[in-house]
Amino acid sequence: MQLIDLQAQYRRIKDEVDAGIHRVLDHGKYVMGPEVETLEQRLADYAGVEHCVALASGTDALLVAMMALDIGPGDEVITTPFTFIATGEMIGLLGATPVFVDIDADTYNLDAELIEEKINERTKAIVPVSLFGQMADMARINDIGERHAIPVIEDAAQSFGATFSGMRSCGASGIAATSFFPAKPLGCYGDGGAAFTHDGALAEKMRQLRNHGQTAPYHHPMLGINGRLDTMQAAVLLAKLDVFDDEVARREQVAARYHEALADYVKTPYVDPRCTSVYAQYTIQVDDRDQVRAALNEAGIPSAVYYPVPLNRQPALYSDVPIPKSEHAAERVLSIPMHPYLSESDQDQVIEALKKAITN
């Protein structure tokens, strides 16, 4: 059994993926080929925004989004410590300071009620992370951003396809960034990402930044990066988009069976009534994680921990700010197999192994 079964997905869409790859091989435009522009339009339409800028990774998408807002030395960016390193890493690489706000204990997302006390004249952006496939409280966060004239960047690396009050992830804030790393609900066969916005000027700046700050051939009015998405990855994503909604529905079905079977044994994921989740991970909480993981491994069930160390406890980003909810979650969270092609028999195997591990 696999935590995420990409081979099963490939078997379903093999003809479409192979045809898309061969179209790229035939026309030979491997960087910024026509599939990239087609993908950008489809992604923008899906998210409900005017502009999508395809990028080489989700990390590059975060970086370019912050560069487009001129975030740099002396600035502060409010974000969550309970996320992958890239969120804080990009803030730090630009010379800015990540200001960590603790999470909501149920959703694992940035606690919107704690944001305003961290705002000062140096605050340049708010970066909520839509963790495990569920969006943060974007209504409250956007309201705070608007009242203080601070842009909100949704880190949607795990939530493309999710909704908040009818708004799709990547379309619910002034700017957003997502990842197409292979393990994501919508993933390519390598690294990939995208940034989203309604603002045409911001989109154009991000397009320039992803291509070395270039506005015309060999004319560079700003410093940028090499952040272009390979055409081959765009072709793969176009094939996957055709089945994406069905895969999200299948993820929800797996989650529903897990919820029903496991709610009396572990803390199962909580989904805000205003939200839908794409279940990038199915993350539970357990008391003795090492023991539970060992028992699952013995039964042939893979598991993972996202994330064992909050960002402000990482040496590169260390801060002594109190984050009790993040630290509590980091000690207890455990992700079990979740993907659209997980059979009911495999689900039952996971459920029974987990029950046995908890009760023994």
Side-chain angles (χ1 to χ4, degrees), residues 11-323:
R11 287 192 291 272
R12 177 184 181 185
I13 57 173
K14 182 180 186 303
D15 290 346
E16 293 79 6
V17 169
D18 291 355
I21 289 172
H22 280 285
R23 278 193 295 271
V24 177
L25 292 171
D26 286 339
H27 66 57
K29 297 174 183 176
Y30 301 118
V31 179
M32 298 303 293
E35 285 81 0
V36 174
E37 185 176 353
T38 301
L39 176 68
E40 288 176 332
Q41 188 58 60
R42 286 191 61 182
L43 292 172
D45 291 345
Y46 192 95
V49 300
E50 292 296 319
H51 306 281
C52 170
V53 180
L55 287 138
S57 69
T59 302
D60 281 347
L62 277 173
L63 179 62
V64 164
M66 287 189 271
M67 291 174 71
L69 295 173
D70 297 319
I71 292 170
D75 294 331
E76 294 184 356
V77 177
I78 294 172
T79 193
T80 169
F82 195 59
T83 180
F84 183 58
I85 187 68
T87 310
E89 181 183 33
M90 294 304 98
I91 297 168
L93 278 178
L94 290 174
T97 300
V99 175
F100 295 112
V101 169
D102 209 356
I103 60 172
D104 174 271
D106 291 324
T107 66
Y108 305 108
N109 286 326
L110 187 67
D111 188 339
E113 299 305 316
L114 302 178
I115 291 173
E116 284 194 277
E117 64 189 55
K118 299 290 188 178
I119 291 175
N120 59 45
E121 67 278 0
R122 295 183 299 278
T123 306
K124 199 67 177 283
I126 303 168
V127 183
V129 176
S130 298
L131 201 68
F132 300 149
Q134 177 178 199
M135 296 169 69
D137 187 348
M138 298 306 294
R140 180 84 174 100
I141 296 170
N142 283 334
D143 177 65
I144 292 168
E146 289 170 8
R147 285 191 287 105
H148 293 273
I150 298 170
V152 175
I153 306 170
E154 182 194 6
D155 181 340
Q158 298 181 15
S159 61
F160 188 81
T163 64
F164 178 94
S165 296
M167 298 181 294
R168 286 196 186 273
S169 182
C170 296
S173 58
I175 190 168
T178 196
S179 169
F180 301 126
F181 183 76
K184 305 299 183 184
L186 180 63
C188 53
Y189 290 159
D191 279 312
F196 299 78
T197 184
H198 293 281
D199 186 322
L202 203 57
E204 184 58 29
K205 188 173 182 181
M206 290 193 290
R207 291 188 185 101
Q208 294 166 10
L209 286 166
R210 76 173 169 188
N211 191 22
H212 300 286
Q214 181 172 275
T215 56
Y218 302 105
H219 180 65
H220 306 266
M222 68 185 83
L223 295 177
I225 65 170
N226 179 7
R228 300 165 302 204
L229 179 69
D230 290 344
T231 310
M232 205 79 80
Q233 303 302 342
V236 171
L237 288 165
L238 286 169
K240 290 195 176 191
L241 265 173
D242 290 337
V243 298
F244 182 59
D245 283 341
D246 177 67
E247 289 186 338
V248 170
R250 291 184 182 208
R251 286 176 176 271
E252 291 173 334
Q253 291 167 4
V254 174
R257 290 193 85 238
Y258 277 163
H259 287 335
E260 183 177 2
L262 296 173
D264 292 336
Y265 296 86
V266 299
K267 180 177 179 179
T268 55
Y270 169 81
V271 178
D272 186 309
R274 297 169 293 178
C275 293
T276 62
S277 176
V278 293
Y279 293 100
Q281 290 85 24
Y282 189 90
T283 301
I284 61 175
Q285 285 193 29
V286 295
D287 291 329
D288 188 345
R289 185 169 63 200
D290 289 344
Q291 179 271 322
V292 171
R293 289 197 78 186
L296 290 177
N297 185 62
E298 184 71 20
I301 308 298
S303 64
V305 177
Y306 309 104
Y307 297 93
V309 183
L311 295 195
N312 63 321
R313 301 298 186 246
Q314 295 286 353
L317 296 171
Y318 185 80
S319 166
D320 60 1
V321 61
I323 51 159

